[in-house]
Amino acid sequence: MKTTNRFFVAMTVMLLLFSTSSFSQEDQRPLYVSVTTMHFNTDNDGDDWKAVEKEYMDKVTKKNEHIRGASFHTHLMTPDSREVLYVQSYPSWEAIDAAAARNSELEKEAWPDEDARNAFLDKQGAYYSDFHSDEIYATMEGAKLLAGESDKDMVLYVRKNQRAFPEDGSAEEFNELRQKLFDNTINKNEYVKAYYPSQHIWGSDRRDFIQAFILDSLGDLDKMFDRGTELGEDALTEEEGKAMGKYFTGVHGDYVYTAVKL
């Protein structure tokens, strides 16, 4: 039997925003992703900010062997217009601490003069308010990777879903159903340029199940939903749809960001 449009929208389009140019094969995917939520100061100059962060990215982040990828995402449709996400991906848990230590070494190599280094880092930090929060997620199989590195800003649509843990459920069943949805809907949706699923490891809510979609433009958001609904009609049987539904509480939040090209 066909699944309903409501089922597709609620369960299939469950959308970090990950760096898309740093790995190209499923077995090479980073295992962990850290998401730092920061807030711009209100007098921030966008072009100057980009130039400073690009300089740091080129001189430090891209040379750090413990970081698989990094990216910035700024507010489009979120509760706070000052919000900016900084995302880094790692090949292992140990690499998270190692990356921070390596950044300090690379900073000294990039700016050998201590006064010049401190001046640059002070300028970089001045773009943001003092408060920030951090989350760490584990990546999951079933990603759709961006075809090459983008040469422009793109759109990131994130849906944060609240997982349920039914007694009659299993990781095997959940992953089989999730893979079937991916194969028949997300992977075939031409408006989805990239897709990255992840789940909570460290942070405020262990129920978090995150899916991030990269799109060419904001105008493609509705087109993605429409196409997804069309593809989702035959993705799961009615019985499979009910089985998938038990793994979620029905509570979710949606967020739209600019995926910044530095």
Side-chain angles (χ1 to χ4, degrees), residues 135-138 198-208:
E135 305 276 345
I136 299 176
Y137 301 96
S198 63
Q199 60 186 343
H200 166 276
I201 283 291
W202 185 89
S204 58
D205 194 335
R206 69 178 290 268
R207 298 170 298 178
D208 283 349

Side-chain angles (χ1 to χ4, degrees), residues 190-248:
E190 61 271 27
Y191 298 104
V192 178
K193 300 306 177 183
Y195 163 79
Y196 305 96
S198 63
Q199 60 186 343
H200 166 276
I201 283 291
W202 185 89
S204 58
D205 194 335
R206 69 178 290 268
R207 298 170 298 178
D208 283 349
F209 178 73
I210 309 297
Q211 290 176 286
F213 282 64
I214 296 289
L215 313 172
D216 270 331
S217 68
L218 191 58
D220 283 348
L221 192 58
D222 283 341
K223 295 176 183 177
M224 179 191 72
F225 283 131
D226 291 342
R227 179 62 171 147
T229 300
E230 177 185 344
L231 291 168
E233 288 293 336
D234 298 310
L236 298 179
T237 65
E238 183 175 4
E239 181 179 353
E240 288 173 331
K242 290 179 179 179
M244 187 64 170
K246 71 186 179 185
Y247 291 99
F248 296 91

